[in-house]
Amino acid sequence: QVQLVESGGGLVQPGGSLRLSCAASGSIFNIYLMGWFRQPPGKERELVAAITSGGVTNYPDSVKGRFTISKDNAKNTLYLQMNSLKPEDTAVYYCQLVAGPRIYWGQGTQVTVSS
């Protein structure tokens, strides 16, 4: 069983920064992809950032240049550095891990950008 636990969310003012962490534990094999998604209030879940096992990253235009995804393989931890935050970045942020045919999700962490 694989568990993903996110942390680092909170309330931040516009223009501020936050770093999210996602710690993975359990029997993890053949990791193909890890990523961050978010779900704003009343909207669908959307991709924020993704990183392959080889370190190739992908971002939608809405966060490109502001968000950076990274991982520490030794610690089985995924990170999302978020800079220049905007009110429209307010959402519950979820960590995702794709290993073989299985997809795992964390429980989510709330990020609120407001003055």
Side-chain angles (χ1 to χ4, degrees):
Q1 186 71 16
V2 174
Q3 286 190 323
L4 303 176
V5 179
E6 299 102 332
S7 60
L11 174 64
V12 63
Q13 292 187 341
S17 298
L18 279 176
R19 189 175 84 151
L20 305 182
S21 299
C22 172
S25 62
S27 300
I28 306 172
F29 302 97
N30 299 322
I31 296 176
Y32 169 69
L33 184 74
M34 295 190 75
W36 290 96
F37 287 70
R38 67 186 180 188
Q39 188 163 16
K43 296 185 178 181
E44 297 290 319
R45 193 173 296 190
E46 61 184 9
L47 174 69
V48 174
I51 185 167
T52 69
S53 58
V56 177
T57 58
N58 182 46
Y59 305 92
D61 289 342
S62 58
V63 306
K64 197 172 292 183
R66 300 189 298 122
F67 290 11
T68 303
I69 189 171
S70 62
K71 59 189 177 76
D72 185 330
N73 291 330
K75 296 181 179 180
N76 282 336
T77 301
L78 182 72
Y79 302 100
L80 183 68
Q81 178 67 43
M82 304 185 294
N83 299 327
S84 302
L85 283 162
K86 305 175 181 180
E88 51 263 42
D89 295 318
T90 295
V92 178
Y93 283 70
Y94 297 90
C95 171
Q96 182 200 64
L97 184 153
V98 180
R102 298 185 182 274
I103 300 174
Y104 302 94
W105 292 93
Q107 83 288 351
T109 186
Q110 177 70 45
V111 172
T112 302
V113 185
S114 175
S115 55

